[in-house]
Amino acid sequence: MVVPELEAKVKEIFGDKPDDVVLYGLESHICIEQTAIDLMEKNINVFLVADCVVSRLNQDRDLALERLRNAGCVVTTSESVIFNLMRDKDHPKFDVVRKFVNSPSVDMQLAKTSKL
């Protein structure tokens, strides 16, 4: 939810507004969904990190991700975000970061039938 305090902090940091936001957190079907919609209404691209959002029930998370993808969000993973931010293997910290993401992560039980 984009509240006035958040808007003020964003303006302080960016001067106006960012082009893109990477969004993750709790209660995908409530907080994440409302925040993503608020950001998109401000013409900000939203990247949802599927393995870093959660709801009490997996079905709530899965349905929220599906709704938000249909609304225009990009649904991605933490590993994808990390390596996209680094750009390529020539980044000076590439080998350090690669060691952190080499271990298999916990299966987030994202629905097999979902279009995620």
Side-chain angles (χ1 to χ4, degrees):
M1 297 147 277
V2 179
V3 295
E5 295 83 6
L6 178 62
E7 285 183 303
K9 184 54 95 174
V10 167
K11 190 168 186 159
E12 176 186 320
I13 294 170
F14 295 100
D16 183 24
K17 67 177 178 72
D19 293 327
D20 305 310
V21 167
V22 176
L23 193 57
Y24 57 92
L26 304 175
E27 297 305 336
S28 311
H29 62 295
I30 304 167
C31 300
I32 296 296
E33 190 169 309
Q34 291 176 20
T35 302
I37 290 168
D38 287 351
L39 291 167
M40 288 188 301
E41 286 176 351
K42 296 179 180 307
N43 295 314
I44 298 172
N45 301 314
V46 177
F47 294 81
L48 295 170
V49 188
D51 56 321
C52 295
V53 297
V54 68
S55 293
R56 196 171 46 81
L57 301 174
N58 286 346
Q59 68 189 16
D60 285 331
R61 179 203 53 213
D62 294 347
L63 290 170
L65 290 173
E66 185 176 336
R67 281 191 301 272
L68 289 168
R69 171 178 271 159
N70 290 337
C73 293
V74 175
V75 178
T76 188
T77 64
S78 58
E79 187 171 335
S80 180
V81 168
I82 290 166
F83 285 117
N84 280 323
L85 289 170
M86 295 184 75
R87 303 301 297 160
D88 62 41
K89 67 176 182 58
D90 294 328
H91 190 284
K93 297 291 185 183
F94 179 83
D95 286 329
V96 173
V97 171
R98 183 174 51 91
K99 290 175 186 171
F100 286 110
V101 297
N102 246 2
S103 302
S105 60
V106 174
D107 184 357
M108 294 300 295
Q109 301 293 315
L110 294 170
K112 304 283 188 233
T113 58
S114 179
K115 297 175 188 172
L116 300 175

